[in-house]
Amino acid sequence: MQCFLPRSLPCFFQRLLSRCLVLNPILMLVCLSACSSPQGESGDGAADSTLQAEVQSFLDLYTEEYLELTTVAREAEWSSNTRIVDGDDSNSKRTEAANEALARFTGSEDAIAKAQSYLEQRSNLQPIQTRQLEAVLYEAANNPQTVPELVSQRIAAEAAQVEKLFGFNFQLNGETLSANSIDDRLVRSVDPKERLQLWEASKEVGRVLKPSLGDLVELRNSTVQALGYDDYFAYQVSDYGMSVEEMMKLNHGFVREIWPLYRELHTWARYELAERYGVAEPPEMLPAHWLPNRWGQDWAALVTVEGLDLDTVLGSKEPDWLVQQAEEFYVSLGFDRLPASFWEKSSLYPLPDDASYKKNNHASAWHVDLDTDVRSLMSVQPNERWWATTHHELGHVYYYMSYTRPEVPPLLRGGANRGFHEAVGTMLGLASVQKPFLVERGLIPADVETDAIQTLLKEALDQIVFIPWSAGVMTHFERDLYTGLTPDQYNQRWWSYVRAFQGIEPPAKRGEEFCDACTKTHINDDAAQYYDYAVSAIILYQMRGHIADKILNQDPHATNYWGRQDVGDFLNNILELGATRDWREVMQESLGEEISAAAMLSYFEPLRGYLEEANRDRTHTLPETPNL
Ligand code: X8Z
Ligand code: ZN
């Protein structure tokens, strides 16, 4: 999730006309003729340039109004996410009003008709105009004013869900717990009883969110269906220029390819944890509360590599030092410093315990005005988890800064695809924990001995383990959610996917009074997009492979990107394009290959022998091939 992007136009056309009159009498004729003949006609070169000028003036005016409205809406969203006051709905009311105004504009019937009719003449338009018109329609589909009532209901329901999610008081034995403290204690606690309590406490929020999730699903579906999409999942997938079937096939491929390695990691973890918790016979499925993450999506904390223990290295630092270090890394690659406004306007650290309000506890990055106002919302603490997250969020921010330039129109200020946007910062986070980098930065001594296989194991417990979760559980559950799953089936379906893809089971029966899927932020406020992270994990190993082999000539497991402007140039060449080009072309041109898990598998290849040896006399409980 980069940030939640909220998405009127009769007066827009009046303004277009008056602008034509004031600015350009020739254009005025163009505008008038366009308004009277919406289908337009394709024709010779002169007609093309006339059409292109007309489309451009439509896009310019649309963009001007869009920027104004989206900035107000994002600013309001920012307040709603950084200041959640129990019993005070002034922020959410302001956000709703701003999102309504934006929806009236982006979803207006005139905007839809105009963009559609121009797109019918796409062969006479410049590709960058076509892409912007597609962006206009994509925005419109989220809020079509053909169904204004549904759009309003949805805006209100979205705002209410965020408040419930982030206003929730997690409690353990009568004490309030922050999300940070649940996460820390699930990393550190070795007491199975305490772990069980923490895990169960973390799932309580699902009960509160479940009733409204069903309504949101209906509203999300019916808004986009008004513009011809099958459902909200299909709508979100279409942003990649893909059908649902293609996206599912891509994700199945990821799961299938990493499965043999995942199966070994699963066996390794079952035995390792059974020993840790004094259980003689390892259970067939991993109990969810044994894992160092609320959803079992990242098991890296199961391993501490001697000499590379970042929690210890970072423990004595101040939180702002982590963010500054991440900025230094990007600057060393040739990127600009973060603007002063980033530091002034971001919300980077946890609220004090006695704060009278709450904030969104899930990290995000924001491009508030699609120009220079870039921010991040985090709750940084000095530990390994936040080190990675800080690099991740700055990846989004540097993406924003790279494509904010005149050549990239505001409507195309997005990633090559959403997965690319997620990939950059995770990749630099991974690069920033490799030994040569840490030595260069003085964070560990040069002569420290470290174990390369343990280091790789730790990374696999993060990145390989992430694939069955992202490409498997989340993607399948969300597909089902938007294609007919009823609320009385949520938990049963959720756990059937968790068992099948992750080989994890709940500590006790979880009936339909719970909604364990609802406890995941993205199910609520970044809906039907989680395959973005699977795509990003795959792409980032392709980029890492390219950087190590073709730019640095270093072992991909022990790189040092620090100070390498050539690495920065490689990245910037991708980032500065924004969404002006098809993502497949961008991949081909920058990496010379299609999206593929091969690079990820080759990176982890040295681990296979180690795991097979460690698991030789152990029973594997996952099937040899995944049930897809
Ligand atoms: O949501 C995030 C980022 C914000 S875009 C912190 N991530 C996913 C998650 O937390 O589930 C990063 C990895 C996957
Ligand atoms: Zn992200």
Side-chain angles (χ1 to χ4, degrees):
M1 160 183 343
Q2 300 169 50
C3 78
F4 171 70
L5 295 187
R7 315 285 161 204
S8 54
L9 193 74
C11 70
F12 167 67
F13 281 98
Q14 285 165 17
R15 284 181 55 185
L16 176 62
L17 280 172
S18 62
R19 160 76 50 117
C20 291
L21 281 164
V22 173
L23 295 182
N24 188 334
I26 299 173
L27 258 186
M28 180 188 80
L29 293 174
V30 172
C31 292
L32 288 172
S33 72
C35 295
S36 56
S37 88
Q39 291 310 310
E41 281 127 58
S42 61
D44 56 23
D48 292 354
S49 63
T50 309
L51 175 68
Q52 287 176 8
E54 177 186 333
V55 167
Q56 199 51 49
S57 91
F58 166 80
L59 287 171
D60 289 347
L61 263 158
Y62 178 96
T63 301
E64 189 183 319
E65 183 112 17
Y66 175 75
L67 282 177
E68 240 170 68
L69 291 166
T70 200
T71 303
V72 172
R74 289 171 198 218
E75 191 74 72
E77 285 283 354
W78 176 261
S79 304
S80 286
N81 278 271
T82 51
R83 201 179 168 84
I84 302 168
V85 187
D86 202 12
D88 175 0
D89 62 0
S90 52
N91 272 341
S92 60
K93 287 275 163 277
R94 191 176 128 213
T95 299
E96 275 178 54
N99 282 339
E100 291 260 6
L102 179 63
R104 276 194 301 277
F105 174 70
T106 57
S108 97
E109 293 185 50
D110 288 336
I112 295 169
K114 212 73 187 140
Q116 280 172 338
S117 86
Y118 287 143
L119 279 171
E120 278 166 20
Q121 306 164 76
R122 64 171 66 222
S123 59
N124 292 325
L125 300 178
Q126 295 163 11
I128 199 154
Q129 292 182 318
T130 307
R131 289 184 79 77
Q132 287 174 86
L133 291 169
E134 282 165 347
V136 169
L137 274 187
Y138 190 74
E139 288 286 315
N142 218 13
N143 317 287
Q145 293 302 305
T146 46
V147 287
E149 264 310 302
L150 290 177
V151 171
S152 297
Q153 284 172 29
R154 179 174 155 200
I155 287 170
E158 300 272 11
Q161 193 78 347
V162 170
E163 290 226 345
K164 277 189 211 163
L165 175 62
F166 298 115
F168 187 77
N169 256 330
F170 293 104
Q171 301 234 305
L172 184 60
N173 301 327
E175 259 181 61
T176 297
L177 285 174
S178 66
N180 255 346
S181 74
I182 294 179
D183 293 340
D184 286 348
R185 287 167 69 175
L186 281 177
V187 164
R188 277 185 285 108
S189 171
V190 287
D191 172 1
K193 226 177 92 203
E194 185 194 9
R195 300 189 64 85
L196 177 60
Q197 286 182 328
L198 284 164
W199 187 88
E200 285 179 339
S202 79
K203 301 295 159 187
E204 283 299 300
V205 63
R207 292 181 196 256
V208 180
L209 295 167
K210 176 172 174 167
S212 32
L213 180 66
D215 297 341
L216 260 175
V217 166
E218 293 281 309
L219 289 166
R220 285 173 182 152
N221 272 344
S222 44
T223 42
V224 299
Q225 279 162 350
L227 224 65
Y229 290 93
D230 287 345
D231 55 72
Y232 194 69
F233 192 82
Y235 167 70
Q236 288 292 354
V237 167
S238 75
D239 201 26
Y240 283 75
M242 289 167 78
S243 67
V244 169
E245 205 187 347
E246 288 165 336
M247 183 56 88
M248 297 311 287
K249 200 166 150 225
L250 185 67
N251 280 269
H252 286 166
F254 299 158
V255 175
R256 207 174 280 118
E257 290 197 63
I258 60 84
W259 191 258
L261 191 50
Y262 182 68
R263 186 166 172 263
E264 295 298 337
L265 291 167
H266 182 261
T267 304
W268 177 89
R270 281 171 44 241
Y271 281 81
E272 175 74 21
L273 289 174
E275 197 183 326
R276 191 175 293 184
Y277 298 123
V279 175
E281 190 59 38
E284 287 193 11
M285 297 270 155
L286 280 161
H289 66 295
W290 281 12
L291 296 165
N293 172 279
R294 282 181 262 171
W295 303 277
Q297 70 184 66
D298 174 1
W299 310 347
L302 295 184
V303 168
T304 304
V305 182
E306 222 179 297
L308 280 176
D309 178 3
L310 273 193
D311 278 337
T312 304
V313 172
L314 300 171
S316 57
K317 309 288 186 192
E318 292 300 322
D320 59 353
W321 183 88
L322 274 72
V323 191
Q324 285 155 8
Q325 288 302 301
E327 180 194 22
E328 292 301 332
F329 187 12
Y330 285 89
V331 170
S332 87
L333 301 178
F335 290 97
D336 288 343
R337 291 224 155 262
L338 295 167
S341 61
F342 171 87
W343 298 102
E344 287 152 19
K345 294 183 172 180
S346 289
S347 171
L348 298 173
Y349 311 112
L351 295 174
D353 288 343
D354 60 355
S356 57
Y357 58 93
K358 289 189 180 304
K359 68 184 234 187
N360 180 334
N361 54 44
H362 192 89
S364 53
W366 298 58
H367 199 182
V368 175
D369 58 356
L370 291 175
D371 193 12
T372 54
D373 188 346
V374 291
R375 306 180 196 175
S376 177
L377 198 180
M378 295 194 268
S379 298
V380 179
Q381 291 188 320
N383 60 33
E384 182 169 15
R385 191 163 53 82
W386 278 107
W387 178 261
T389 304
T390 299
H391 283 79
H392 177 95
E393 297 309 332
L394 288 201
H396 289 306
V397 170
Y398 275 103
Y399 217 142
Y400 303 149
M401 287 165 61
S402 295
Y403 56 56
T404 298
R405 56 193 190 106
E407 294 81 354
V408 179
L411 297 179
L412 299 179
R413 292 188 184 161
N417 63 30
R418 296 191 308 251
F420 267 94
H421 226 300
E422 298 301 337
V424 178
T426 300
M427 182 176 86
L428 291 193
L430 289 169
S432 77
V433 295
Q434 290 196 327
K435 187 174 166 183
F437 178 91
L438 292 170
V439 170
E440 160 105 39
R441 300 298 295 138
L443 294 173
I444 56 170
D447 58 358
V448 71
E449 298 267 330
T450 59
D451 183 324
I453 284 292
Q454 288 303 303
T455 309
L456 198 56
L457 173 61
K458 188 175 176 65
E459 189 171 328
L461 290 170
D462 171 6
Q463 296 290 310
I464 295 286
V465 160
F466 186 68
I467 298 294
W469 156 255
S470 54
V473 178
M474 284 294 283
T475 295
H476 286 73
F477 182 81
E478 289 203 292
R479 192 260 326 256
D480 294 358
L481 190 59
Y482 292 96
T483 54
L485 191 69
T486 52
D488 59 333
Q489 303 171 309
Y490 285 175
N491 235 27
Q492 186 275 333
R493 184 68 56 89
W494 175 256
W495 284 103
S496 81
Y497 283 140
V498 174
R499 283 191 179 88
F501 286 111
Q502 294 181 286
I504 296 175
E505 66 184 358
K509 187 173 169 358
R510 305 287 293 173
E512 296 298 336
E513 68 277 25
F514 298 107
C515 178
D516 294 320
C518 296
T519 65
K520 186 69 195 164
T521 304
H522 305 68
I523 296 278
N524 301 288
D525 76 353
D526 203 19
Q529 297 173 44
Y530 209 84
Y531 42 81
D532 291 355
Y533 297 104
V535 167
S536 100
I538 299 296
I539 293 177
L540 77 86
Y541 280 89
Q542 295 182 260
M543 296 205 283
R544 291 182 90 185
H546 179 93
I547 291 170
D549 295 349
K550 305 266 168 39
I551 302 178
L552 299 173
N553 294 313
Q554 292 173 1
D555 173 0
H557 308 99
T559 58
N560 182 7
Y561 295 9
W562 177 265
R564 294 295 298 248
Q565 309 251 335
D566 42 5
V567 173
D569 289 346
F570 164 75
L571 274 180
N572 193 50
N573 285 341
I574 297 173
L575 308 195
E576 69 173 11
L577 295 173
T580 56
R581 303 275 308 283
D582 184 277
W583 67 269
R584 299 164 194 82
E585 281 171 24
V586 174
M587 279 210 85
Q588 273 300 344
E589 283 165 27
S590 56
L591 296 165
E593 58 193 35
E594 289 180 3
I595 187 165
S596 151
M600 187 184 219
L601 286 180
S602 132
Y603 183 91
F604 286 106
E605 177 58 25
L607 193 57
R608 216 154 51 97
Y610 168 82
L611 283 172
E612 281 169 6
E613 184 55 31
N615 290 337
R616 192 141 53 117
D617 299 322
R618 295 173 172 173
T619 312
H620 294 75
T621 49
L622 288 182
E624 280 184 25
T625 49
N627 286 322
L628 294 171

